[in-house]
Amino acid sequence: PTPAVAELWRTVLVAVASCLSVLDKPSLRIGRLIVVVASAIYGTNFATVKMLDVAMPMEISAALRFSLAAAAVSIATFGREASEDSRNASGRTVAEQQHLLRERHAGLMAGAEIGFWYFLGYTCQSLGLETVAAGKSAFFNSLAVVVVPLLDATFKNKLLKKHDVMAVGLSTLGVGLLELGPAGLSISIGDLFAFGQTVFFGVGYWRLEDASQSHPTQSGRITVGQVGGVAVGSTVYAMIGALLEHNNLQDIIFSYYQWVEWFTDPFIVACLLWTGLISTAMALYLETVSLKVVSASELTLIMTSVSLWGAAFAYVTMGEMLSKSGMVGGLMILMGCVMGNATPKVKKEDEYNADVVDEEF
């Protein structure tokens, strides 16, 4: 390469190394910024998935994008584990090694169960996006965090706190306004699917809390299980759908020319790469990095902004805009989510310390 090109590559490598060093040990301010970036990236998913599902079958696109995400997360996690094992293998006893393997397997299985619930949520999301505006679906998605205290009250006999009751009431009223159209209250099948994602994602968050507490050192394996579970579920769903629709193997796997058409379309390839590697795998990585310095309560609070990013991205890319009542309803849902999670208690009055936050979520 010419000296100019070599200097450019050197500058790029230095910049990448600097970013990685910042992500390795982020400050609290950088951690919060990382969560905001992850929220914005997540928010692009709704409009991108809706446009992608117009270009190719929904079940096929889901299987491909989650398989990409699962491959990326698995390579990163297993590579890190292999590096740690090579450094610490000589210092572990046989019993410690066996215990570590059992913990890793348990974390992976717990993540797979969560992935099953997420698979149902993502499937409902994709089916709903066929008829529901991307911004509207994004607000339904944010409502999932309100489901968690309801599940705690139902299955763990935990009393609902005042702010939880107010959050549920405000969010319910917001859903009503979101459904209010020019002809009055109208609920379509797409709306039911959009609400289904709320329930299934809420169950996934609820089970993730238990998994994180039961296997605190296996966040990587839990993440692999989550994304892998969604990928497997999406692939099986695609195969069953094709089997019910077609009668022979050639029709089930589609023709060679159909796959060539998809993978030579720059728009489809770009959407698959974005939703698989960026808005799923990378966003999960950024979320994990931020938890080094940001409390779970604050993370959940900031992540409620996903609905705003989703609505904004849908307006920019597709020109979709909610009605006035829909906007008010969406903001009420967002306020309900904030009310249900904005309850940190800090012991030091003059200094914020993420480690001493009462993580009620």
Side-chain angles (χ1 to χ4, degrees):
T2 64
V5 173
E7 182 63 27
L8 176 62
W9 276 108
R10 191 178 300 110
T11 303
V12 170
L13 292 175
V14 169
V16 171
S18 299
C19 291
L20 291 176
S21 64
V22 170
L23 293 178
D24 186 45
K25 294 181 180 180
S27 64
L28 179 57
R29 183 176 297 178
I30 294 296
R32 289 168 173 166
L33 178 61
I34 290 172
V35 180
V36 173
V37 172
S39 301
I41 293 174
Y42 271 132
T44 65
N45 239 8
F46 301 94
T48 308
V49 168
K50 184 166 187 175
M51 292 185 291
L52 181 61
D53 289 347
V54 172
M56 66 188 305
M58 177 271 293
E59 59 274 14
I60 299 297
S61 68
L64 290 174
R65 59 194 175 94
F66 285 115
S67 295
L68 277 172
V73 172
S74 298
I75 291 172
T77 300
F78 294 146
R80 185 176 64 252
E81 287 181 355
S83 177
E84 292 175 356
D85 290 342
S86 63
R87 290 196 308 267
N88 304 323
S90 59
R92 293 174 183 156
T93 64
V94 175
E96 289 174 338
Q97 184 68 24
Q98 291 177 344
H99 175 72
L100 178 60
L101 292 176
R102 285 195 297 270
E103 273 294 298
R104 286 177 175 176
H105 180 265
L108 188 65
M109 291 299 100
E113 186 221 329
I114 298 165
F116 168 73
W117 295 111
Y118 284 175
F119 155 68
L120 295 177
Y122 280 117
T123 301
C124 286
Q125 183 185 100
S126 296
L127 291 172
L129 282 170
E130 292 182 356
T131 56
V132 172
K136 186 177 182 179
S137 179
F139 280 111
F140 270 112
N141 179 269
S142 67
L143 191 61
V145 298
V146 183
V147 174
V148 176
L150 295 178
L151 292 172
D152 280 338
T154 303
F155 296 100
K156 295 184 178 180
N157 296 322
K158 290 185 178 180
L159 294 177
L160 284 174
K161 300 173 184 177
K162 288 184 179 180
H163 65 83
D164 288 329
V165 176
M166 294 177 65
V168 172
L170 194 61
S171 299
T172 303
L173 183 59
V175 169
L177 288 174
L178 200 63
E179 292 298 327
L180 194 63
L185 188 66
S186 60
I187 301 176
S188 66
I189 186 66
D191 294 326
L192 295 178
F193 279 123
F195 184 75
Q197 72 171 321
T198 299
V199 176
F200 291 125
F201 281 136
V203 175
Y205 297 156
W206 186 60
R207 294 297 296 151
L208 177 59
E209 181 183 14
D210 289 340
S212 299
Q213 293 174 355
S214 301
H215 313 285
T217 62
Q218 298 301 319
S219 58
R221 285 291 180 120
I222 293 173
T223 303
V224 171
Q226 289 177 51
V227 185
V230 179
V232 171
S234 300
T235 303
V236 172
Y237 176 69
M239 294 178 66
I240 292 176
L243 186 62
L244 293 176
E245 185 176 354
H246 305 285
N247 296 320
N248 58 68
L249 185 61
Q250 182 178 355
D251 287 337
I252 291 175
I253 63 174
F254 297 95
S255 68
Y256 166 79
Y257 299 103
Q258 179 66 77
W259 286 98
V260 170
E261 181 181 346
W262 287 336
F263 287 111
T264 53
D265 187 326
F267 175 77
I268 292 178
V269 172
C271 286
L272 287 173
L273 291 176
W274 178 265
T275 55
L277 299 180
I278 305 300
S279 63
T280 301
M282 183 179 176
L284 277 173
Y285 170 72
L286 292 176
E287 189 177 333
T288 303
V289 168
S290 68
L291 283 171
K292 295 179 181 180
V293 292
V294 177
S295 70
S297 297
E298 187 173 8
L299 173 71
T300 306
L301 179 61
I302 298 175
M303 288 299 289
T304 58
S305 66
V306 168
S307 55
L308 297 178
W309 292 111
F313 189 74
Y315 173 72
V316 171
T317 57
M318 305 176 65
E320 289 187 350
M321 180 177 290
L322 296 174
S323 63
K324 291 182 179 179
S325 62
M327 291 179 183
V328 174
L331 289 177
M332 292 184 71
I333 290 175
L334 190 61
M335 289 170 61
C337 295
V338 171
M339 186 177 296
N341 291 282
T343 56
K345 299 175 183 178
V346 183
K347 294 181 179 178
K348 293 184 180 181
E349 295 181 357
D350 58 343
E351 180 181 358
Y352 183 93
N353 185 347
D355 295 332
V356 299
V357 175
D358 179 19
E359 297 177 355
E360 294 182 359
F361 175 72

